Amino acid sequence: MNVALLDRLPSPVRAQLHDRRIELPPIAALVEADEDEPVLLVGSYASGEANPTSDLDLLVLTKRRRRRRRPGTTNHPSIFGDSFDGQVGDLPVNIEYVSQERLHDIAQVLAAAAETGGVDLPNLQGLELRLVQRVHGGIALAGADELSRLRAGLDLDTVRSAATALAFVGTLSLLEDTTVLTGPTRELMCRGAAESLLVSAVNAFGPVTHDGKHLVSRAARISALPDVPLVFAHAERLLFSDRLPLDEAREFILDLAQELFRSFADPRCPSRVTGMLDPFVPTWSWTGRGF
């Protein structure tokens, strides 16, 4: 990759690299991209959430598949493409290559859901949510026009709606498991339900979040906003609710879930959450709550 493209890194990122005495040419040497392929800064450095252990993450949206391994890097391929890990000084660098066909596949799923008026719930899993989040939240270093075209096919409102709804459905499903299972599996299900509820809340009021890495810090930032659901104020107790007596934990999670469900009508939330959840509401009669 042309090292000049790294001059487009945000100034705070360049300042961080400079402070760590990280040179740009060795980073550019790890990346192989065609001239017309978008290259993005993604991950923690793009979102401003980097810490001293964070990788510098770069994403290349490829138009053709070919071997791109650079000397000194290790690969962990997936169904979405190739991901190479390298090292520049004390900085881990990750370069991910994902075919634009994968984005088109996700776009088709979203389009099919839109045809139903937003009632169908796209079953977007972690890797798919991660990819969409990176494409929409990444900072273009190359191929900005092509990136804009690709982003247009990934309706972020539908993605956030699906991420919110899927996590909420997961909360109630895992919590129902606690009514029939025994420990320690029961406690694991309780913990999973609590985390899923916080993921649902963050997706509703914040950025697309697919795992626990930035969950607590994002929830803390949202808690400072006016008139947000109580789940944010009680995030720490929620995440450790499996340490409470089971009946108390279950009622605590259900109280927060019921309030969050009502808050999905808030205009700050993605618009299709309630419609995607409607088919599931009858299955929650076991809670005795009015969802």
Side-chain angles (χ1 to χ4, degrees), residues 67-88:
R67 185 175 178 82
R68 304 193 188 211
R69 173 178 281 172
R70 293 293 192 173
T73 61
T74 57
N75 184 19
H76 35 97
S78 77
I79 58 172
F80 277 92
D82 290 300
S83 182
F84 295 97
D85 291 322
Q87 191 83 17
V88 176

Side-chain angles (χ1 to χ4, degrees), residues 85 158 161 220:
D85 291 322
T158 301
S161 296

Side-chain angles (χ1 to χ4, degrees), residues 205-273:
F205 285 85
V208 174
T209 301
H210 55 85
D211 61 22
K213 184 175 181 181
H214 298 296
L215 180 60
V216 173
S217 60
R218 289 175 181 176
R221 287 196 295 273
I222 295 170
S223 71
L225 300 176
D227 301 321
V228 291
L230 288 174
V231 63
F232 295 109
H234 294 290
E236 184 172 346
R237 183 171 183 242
L238 175 65
L239 293 175
F240 290 101
S241 57
D242 60 301
R243 300 180 182 181
L244 300 172
L246 179 61
D247 288 343
E248 181 181 345
R250 189 184 297 123
E251 290 303 305
F252 174 58
I253 296 171
L254 282 173
D255 284 344
L256 295 179
Q258 187 174 33
E259 193 213 15
L260 178 62
F261 181 84
R262 292 169 179 165
S263 78
F264 291 149
D266 189 304
R268 291 172 292 182
C269 294
S271 65
R272 298 179 178 178
V273 179

Side-chain angles (χ1 to χ4, degrees), residues 88-228:
V88 176
D90 66 351
L91 177 70
V93 179
N94 176 264
I95 308 97
E96 188 172 14
Y97 299 90
V98 176
S99 168
Q100 294 180 23
E101 291 181 4
R102 297 298 184 189
L103 296 180
H104 297 320
D105 292 341
I106 296 173
Q108 288 181 340
V109 171
L110 297 174
E115 290 177 0
T116 68
V119 175
D120 280 358
L121 173 54
N123 190 20
L124 299 177
Q125 296 302 300
L127 282 176
E128 294 160 317
L129 291 173
R130 175 178 177 269
L131 177 57
V132 172
Q133 188 276 331
R134 289 188 162 203
V135 170
H136 271 287
I139 297 170
L141 305 179
D145 291 341
E146 180 71 4
L147 177 62
S148 296
R149 185 185 67 80
L150 294 169
R151 283 174 172 168
L154 300 172
D155 181 0
L156 192 57
D157 180 76
T158 301
V159 172
R160 284 185 60 217
S161 296
T164 301
L166 281 168
F168 194 87
V169 170
T171 297
L172 274 296
S173 177
L174 291 168
L175 207 56
E176 186 176 16
D177 287 341
T178 69
T179 67
V180 295
L181 298 173
T182 59
T185 305
R186 183 177 57 194
E187 282 68 31
L188 286 173
M189 297 301 101
C190 183
R191 181 180 302 174
E195 183 173 341
S196 289
L197 184 62
L198 192 57
V199 168
S200 179
V202 169
N203 280 317
F205 285 85
V208 174
T209 301
H210 55 85
D211 61 22
K213 184 175 181 181
H214 298 296
L215 180 60
V216 173
S217 60
R218 289 175 181 176
R221 287 196 295 273
I222 295 170
S223 71
L225 300 176
D227 301 321
V228 291

